[in-house]
Amino acid sequence: MPRFRCAVDDNDRATELPLFRVCGSVEENPHMRAFWASIISFHLAFLGWFALTPLAMPVATSMGICENQLYPPSEYPKEQAYLNYKNLHNGLTYCRYGVVRGPNGKAIDCEGPNTTDHVGSNLSIYRPEELASCVCTSGTECRRVISQGNLAAVASTILLRISMGTLLERYGPVNTQCSLLLFGAIWLAMSAAITAPWNYTLFRFFIGMVGAAFVTNQFWCSLMFAPNVIGTANATAAGWGNMGGGVSQIFMTAILFQPLVDSGMSDDTAWRVSMFVPASFYILCAVCLKYLCWDMPRGRHYDPVITGKKEQPSLWDYWDVPKDFRVVVMIFQYSACFGTELVMNNSLTTHFTSYFQLGMTEASLLASSFGLMNIFARSAGGILSDLMYRSFGFPGRIWAQFLSLFLEAIFLFGFGCVDNSNPWFVALAVLVGFSLFVQMAEGTSYGMVPFLKKEQLAVVSALVGAGGNLGAVIATALFYDLIEDDLLPYRVHSGYVMFWALLSPVYYWSDKGGMFCAKQSSEPTSPEPQLDAL
């Protein structure tokens, strides 16, 4: 066999992470091929997963669900969404002279002229011209449909992510990832035919399944890299893959949709044509993965026996693994960071468009800053976890996890306190800090998971990955759907994150120690995991 381009350990796993050492055949450099293939495929998966999110307003218009389409202001001037509306660009409100409110504070109608200067005025008490072209504020049918689509997109991935542990062990990373991408390409292309809320939700449900590519991303890197670099390798691969959620915000609007509109296409045609681009990327990526990459350092196909697993993969593993309460806590801690990222990828463009009343391109650019922080923040979390481990042992990894989640909760609460009386850049500044600690918490998670149940790490990987989507479902359904307010859901969500952060002390192993306890010196130290599957 040719000599590897990377330094390797006794199990042929790379002990270094030379990012730009990409030359050589697949026999010579399977490690870095797998590393970059896992990044690119997962990056594209994220890009397509959230492709419809920044296009929410033109898609809503095409479905005819904007509040001013369902309830024209000329016929329904007293709609709640209108009475509370204020144009932030010029400071004018829909109600010219103010709002009449009932005993419960709910808006009832617009006031009539209320000063001597205005008495006898022929001006209408309503100003429909100040409304946005698509009113989609909190509490409207438009917002409900978009939120249901967001929920479907993250919920569909849960079951598939859970099953990914078994699928990966049976078919290997390359075949599994290729299948996911080809499946996603079909539904992305079909989404160009969206005409109504039911098929919008349906298409987002099936497109969301490509989010399971995350498990392949982590599992594949774990087969290729040794324990001394796995925290950094996994965090970097996942982070740069997740960055597709931020790139999607820019790519689908500033690079595809807006230029097509400027060239003369209608909004309705432009967003539909745009959806074929990520679909074609999926197909091209799947073909390249199939013919250019291997599952393992010395084999085209994955063999679980080589990793030390003596039993064949079984669905019963999914029953056994959650019996360890520490695994359950990790699942929900991951729901508090990656789940939060999914919610932000789904909602930030709409938040900046409807609440801060920015243009679609401008709102997408601001929303993209959250995902683009993955270029370094998630890796920083993995590096921090590795550094803390070298300095303080396993308790250092626990403290890195706790501090990242704790600061995430603080900044999330702060973001929920920035109302639209502040300039958009105030919200952006808080958002950047918030994003930093969200991504770092995801990275510190990957520094801990390989130590939970090393003999069943493929299943642990799948369950923790599914936990991220579960967190998005919980937050969307309980906070962002039920609470008809533009800011309060963020503050409530921060409480969820803080709760799971404060459960970090439950992590304790006699041979590793815990958050406040050193390991017992009489216990032999467990060896590094032979397969770091997350």
Side-chain angles (χ1 to χ4, degrees):
M1 292 288 289
R3 183 178 179 181
F4 292 125
R5 293 295 180 98
C6 296
V8 298
D9 64 8
D10 294 339
N11 296 309
D12 293 328
R13 291 178 300 168
T15 57
E16 58 180 346
L17 185 62
L19 293 177
F20 302 108
R21 194 181 299 169
V22 295
C23 298
S25 66
V26 67
E27 293 89 350
E28 296 172 323
N29 202 2
H31 308 91
M32 297 312 297
R33 283 202 182 199
F35 177 76
W36 283 108
S38 68
I39 289 175
I40 293 170
S41 59
F42 184 40
H43 184 95
L44 291 176
F46 246 69
L47 189 150
W49 190 2
F50 296 104
L52 283 166
T53 301
L55 301 173
M57 292 302 105
V59 174
T61 303
S62 295
M63 290 189 288
I65 60 171
C66 300
E67 195 76 355
N68 34 358
Q69 290 177 305
L70 296 173
Y71 307 101
S74 58
E75 300 177 33
Y76 304 91
K78 300 180 183 181
E79 282 296 307
Q80 282 287 310
Y82 306 154
L83 299 177
N84 295 313
Y85 193 87
K86 180 180 181 180
N87 187 328
L88 298 180
H89 300 291
N90 56 25
L92 298 178
T93 58
Y94 171 78
C95 291
R96 188 182 298 272
Y97 304 113
V99 181
V100 177
R101 299 190 181 276
N104 60 357
K106 186 176 180 180
I108 300 174
D109 198 357
C110 292
E111 289 185 353
N114 51 10
T115 66
T116 304
D117 293 336
H118 292 144
V119 172
S121 171
N122 292 324
L123 295 175
S124 170
I125 62 174
Y126 308 114
R127 286 191 282 215
E129 67 276 6
E130 299 302 330
L131 297 174
S133 58
C134 178
V135 176
C136 194
T137 52
S138 181
T140 60
E141 174 68 7
C142 171
R143 182 65 67 87
R144 185 189 67 81
V145 171
I146 291 175
S147 184
Q148 283 185 345
N150 293 341
L151 185 61
V154 295
S156 62
T157 317
I158 294 177
L159 291 178
L160 190 54
R161 281 198 177 197
I162 291 174
S163 63
M164 282 293 285
T166 300
L167 292 173
L168 284 166
E169 292 192 331
R170 287 185 181 275
Y171 304 108
V174 172
N175 287 333
T176 302
Q177 198 79 325
C178 290
S179 300
L180 277 176
L181 291 173
L182 293 175
F183 178 82
I186 295 171
W187 291 100
L188 274 170
M190 290 178 63
S191 68
I194 289 172
T195 56
W198 71 267
N199 52 37
Y200 172 76
T201 303
L202 179 70
F203 289 139
R204 292 218 62 191
F205 178 87
F206 285 112
I207 292 171
M209 289 185 178
V210 300
F214 158 77
V215 183
T216 308
N217 168 283
Q218 296 295 278
F219 184 74
W220 200 2
C221 285
S222 298
L223 295 174
M224 294 291 184
F225 293 93
N228 66 308
V229 294
I230 193 60
T232 302
N234 268 342
T236 302
W240 290 358
N242 272 14
M243 196 168 62
V247 171
S248 176
Q249 311 291 328
I250 302 174
F251 183 74
M252 297 304 297
T253 54
I255 297 178
L256 292 181
F257 175 79
Q258 198 58 52
L260 289 174
V261 171
D262 293 340
S263 70
M265 279 190 187
S266 66
D267 287 8
D268 180 68
T269 303
W271 76 257
R272 297 180 191 277
V273 170
S274 298
M275 295 307 297
F276 288 101
V277 177
S280 62
F281 285 172
Y282 276 27
I283 296 172
L284 178 62
C285 184
V287 172
C288 290
L289 258 63
K290 183 63 178 176
Y291 291 102
L292 298 178
C293 299
W294 281 5
D295 286 343
M296 304 187 73
R298 289 200 183 275
R300 178 178 295 276
H301 302 295
Y302 173 73
D303 182 358
V305 176
I306 294 177
T307 65
K309 184 164 184 175
K310 299 179 181 179
E311 298 178 358
Q312 289 297 313
S314 169
L315 291 176
W316 285 108
D317 291 340
Y318 293 98
W319 173 260
D320 181 61
V321 168
K323 292 178 182 178
D324 187 336
F325 184 66
R326 294 165 300 192
V327 175
V328 175
V329 172
M330 176 54 70
I331 289 171
F332 281 96
Q333 285 194 339
Y334 194 60
S335 81
C337 52
F338 185 62
T340 301
E341 179 177 4
L342 295 181
V343 171
M344 295 304 112
N345 284 338
N346 266 329
S347 65
L348 281 176
T349 298
T350 303
H351 181 69
F352 283 118
T353 302
S354 63
Y355 185 64
F356 283 92
Q357 297 179 19
L358 298 176
M360 192 173 72
T361 301
E362 292 80 3
S364 297
L365 289 172
L366 293 184
S368 71
S369 64
F370 187 90
L372 292 177
M373 290 290 286
N374 274 296
I375 197 169
F376 73 91
R378 194 157 184 166
S379 298
I383 293 169
L384 174 65
S385 182
D386 287 347
L387 290 175
M388 293 283 280
Y389 177 73
R390 291 168 193 163
S391 300
F392 305 104
F394 195 78
R397 292 194 188 273
I398 302 174
W399 275 101
Q401 174 84 342
F402 166 73
L403 291 173
S404 297
L405 285 169
F406 180 84
L407 291 171
E408 174 196 337
I410 297 297
F411 275 88
L412 176 52
F413 184 86
F415 184 72
C417 294
V418 182
D419 62 26
N420 57 14
S421 64
N422 295 284
W424 59 263
F425 54 79
V426 175
L428 177 62
V430 180
L431 182 66
V432 168
F434 165 41
S435 178
L436 171 66
F437 292 108
V438 170
Q439 324 299 352
M440 286 187 66
E442 294 166 4
T444 58
S445 298
Y446 304 146
M448 290 182 61
V449 170
F451 296 85
L452 295 178
K453 291 182 79 71
K454 60 179 180 292
E455 70 281 2
Q456 294 173 305
L457 285 178
V459 174
V460 174
S461 171
L463 287 174
V464 174
N469 285 71
L470 177 62
V473 170
I474 291 171
T476 302
L478 298 184
F479 310 148
Y480 297 88
D481 273 2
L482 290 183
I483 302 174
E484 292 188 1
D485 188 273
D486 290 296
L487 296 177
L488 182 58
Y490 295 100
R491 299 197 292 271
V492 176
H493 193 177
S494 70
Y496 176 85
V497 177
M498 183 64 76
F499 173 82
W500 290 108
L502 294 175
L503 282 184
S504 295
V506 305
Y507 294 121
Y508 175 77
W509 291 263
S510 60
D511 62 332
K512 299 183 184 71
M515 194 167 175
F516 301 106
C517 307
K519 66 179 180 180
Q520 296 179 14
S521 57
S522 59
E523 294 280 346
T525 301
S526 294
E528 287 279 4
Q530 293 302 301
L531 174 62
D532 304 274
L534 193 58

